[in-house]
Amino acid sequence: MLPRPVVEARGIHKHFGALHVLKGVDLVVAERELVFVIGPSGSGKSTLLRCLNRLEEPAAGSVVIDGVNLLDPRTDINHARQRIGMVFQSFNLYPHMTALGNVTLALRKVAGKPRAEADELGRAALARVGLAERAGHRPGELSGGQQQRVAIARAIALEPRVMLFDEPTSALDPELVGSVLGVMRDLRESGMAMVVVSHEMGFARNAADRVLFMDQGVIVEEGTPAAIFESPAQQRTRAFISQIQRH
């Protein structure tokens, strides 16, 4: 029996003015699956992620997350978003709050947890990303890699069904990237469904279950990392892979 899909997006279209950014994209992600989305800048990768939690409104199509139709007007979007963790390129932490304060804010304000319970869950989330001893530090006292791991802790504290990562390492110094990828690898091993947009091709090759190549608003090709990186079927994929392998 196939695992149940956690993410089921069908026929997603998105326009920005006259620009047709997504042209009928389908994306299904199963439980425990790590799907990597690669492609040139401007191909629609980040817009697709943002449509999955309705940070962008699709012009057409359907998005079902863990059985909940996000585009149904009756859906409580704030409640539904608790199922979807999102980690951005910029860490988006509140500078005046401690790491623990940043992690527990949504637990208290969105999930309605009492402070003591929120703190307990927040400390557990920080421990999962290796930052238990940094709970009292403000973002300015943390490295970029540590700030990104706090952002991941904030997302996983709500126990989402799927994690969306939008270029999570691109703002980091190269020596800090490994700590964030390590946390993502641990999350994958714990069974979290994940969709990752990133230029970290080594990570995609080693950790992804499936790689999607996007270009000009469509998914051109998808397959195992070995298929996409070693023997892509489409010319556009081959051109992109050969270009990134030269760098």
Side-chain angles (χ1 to χ4, degrees), residues 41 81 159 162 164 171:
S41 294
R81 277 203 188 116
E159 297 188 350
V162 61
L164 310 177

Side-chain angles (χ1 to χ4, degrees), residues 4-219:
R4 197 168 70 89
V6 180
V7 175
E8 210 164 354
R10 304 280 183 192
I12 299 296
H13 285 264
K14 177 66 185 176
H15 303 263
F16 291 115
L19 196 61
H20 196 175
V21 180
L22 296 176
K23 302 169 183 170
V25 174
D26 295 339
L27 173 65
V28 178
V29 181
E31 289 180 319
R32 309 179 73 87
E33 189 178 26
L34 194 165
V35 174
F36 226 89
V37 185
I38 64 171
S41 294
S43 56
K45 308 181 300 293
S46 293
T47 302
L48 174 61
L49 278 195
R50 294 170 70 86
C51 284
L52 293 180
N53 66 0
R54 269 186 62 196
L55 284 174
E56 297 288 355
E57 289 288 338
S62 64
V63 178
V64 177
I65 305 280
D66 198 29
V68 176
N69 181 353
L70 255 61
L71 302 184
D72 186 325
R74 294 165 300 187
T75 295
D76 177 343
I77 187 63
N78 288 327
H79 187 260
R81 277 203 188 116
Q82 292 180 47
R83 301 162 190 263
I84 314 161
M86 179 115 185
V87 176
F88 300 89
Q89 182 175 342
S90 54
F91 321 124
N92 293 355
L93 300 176
Y94 289 105
H96 63 287
M97 299 177 86
T98 63
L100 183 62
N102 271 282
V103 172
T104 57
L105 186 65
L107 285 166
R108 292 188 290 111
K109 301 291 188 197
V110 180
K113 305 281 188 197
R115 183 178 286 275
E117 186 185 350
D119 283 355
E120 189 179 333
L121 292 167
R123 287 181 191 283
L126 285 169
R128 278 185 76 182
V129 301
L131 289 177
E133 75 292 349
R134 293 282 193 273
H137 289 59
R138 287 188 170 82
E141 302 168 309
L142 302 171
S143 72
Q146 289 170 335
Q147 289 182 59
Q148 190 59 294
R149 281 149 61 198
V150 172
I152 294 171
R154 175 179 58 190
I156 62 175
L158 288 164
E159 297 188 350
R161 297 286 289 124
V162 61
M163 285 284 287
L164 310 177
F165 290 90
D166 189 5
E167 301 281 10
T169 59
S170 65
L172 300 178
D173 294 332
E175 68 271 19
L176 301 175
V177 168
S179 68
V180 173
L181 296 183
V183 168
M184 293 169 69
R185 197 170 272 118
D186 291 346
L187 278 180
R188 183 192 181 285
E189 284 169 11
S190 75
M192 177 72 74
M194 294 159 65
V195 185
V196 181
V197 167
S198 175
H199 295 297
E200 295 291 338
M201 298 300 158
F203 184 64
R205 202 183 281 257
N206 295 330
D209 295 299
R210 198 157 39 104
V211 178
L212 276 57
F213 171 65
M214 275 188 83
D215 192 19
Q216 298 177 356
V218 297
I219 293 172

